[in-house]
Amino acid sequence: MNQPASVPDVQQPAVEQPAPAAPSEPEAKKFNDPLELASFTGDFKQYQAGDIVPAMYRTAQYTISKWQLRKLPAPSAGSHWTYFGGSYVLITDAEGKILRMFSGEIIYR
């Protein structure tokens, strides 16, 4: 009876697998002004740039026309400042989309 020749147990060199990539954290947005906010809370909800403010804060009653007196930057064309949740919020005229936010403390500079 023919028996197959025994093959010595040869270990293959381990193939190095790349380490799984660590989950990348979004880079924190850097602001030129320490009073500029990345988000704020208003009406029990967290808001950030790109969110739409409730209709009430888009009315003339909340519009800030004398933004210079509150030490706010000039609004860009098609936007205006409003006061919401203790913060000054730059929103688009058409839809109320948040562009920038500043702490209410800016007035004390």
Side-chain angles (χ1 to χ4, degrees):
M1 290 195 203
N2 284 344
Q3 292 215 350
S6 68
V7 179
D9 231 27
V10 179
Q11 288 195 348
Q12 298 292 328
V15 176
E16 212 169 292
Q17 297 291 328
S24 63
E25 292 182 28
E27 190 174 318
K29 189 171 181 182
K30 309 246 190 254
F31 299 106
N32 293 334
D33 192 315
L35 293 174
E36 188 167 3
L37 306 172
S39 66
F40 71 98
T41 302
D43 292 350
F44 306 103
K45 183 179 173 194
Q46 192 74 19
Y47 289 89
Q48 59 189 7
D51 291 341
I52 305 295
V53 300
M56 177 173 74
Y57 299 102
R58 293 182 269 178
T59 62
Q61 180 181 357
Y62 286 90
T63 297
I64 297 170
S65 57
K66 296 182 180 181
W67 46 268
Q68 303 94 327
L69 296 176
R70 298 178 194 231
K71 302 178 180 144
L72 295 167
S76 53
S79 68
H80 67 276
W81 288 102
T82 187
Y83 190 72
F84 176 32
S87 300
Y88 294 103
V89 185
L90 183 65
I91 60 173
T92 59
D93 293 337
E95 59 186 349
K97 185 178 190 179
I98 298 173
L99 303 173
R100 293 180 81 179
M101 302 150 282
F102 281 88
S103 165
E105 299 293 313
I106 196 167
I107 198 167
Y108 298 114
R109 280 196 193 164

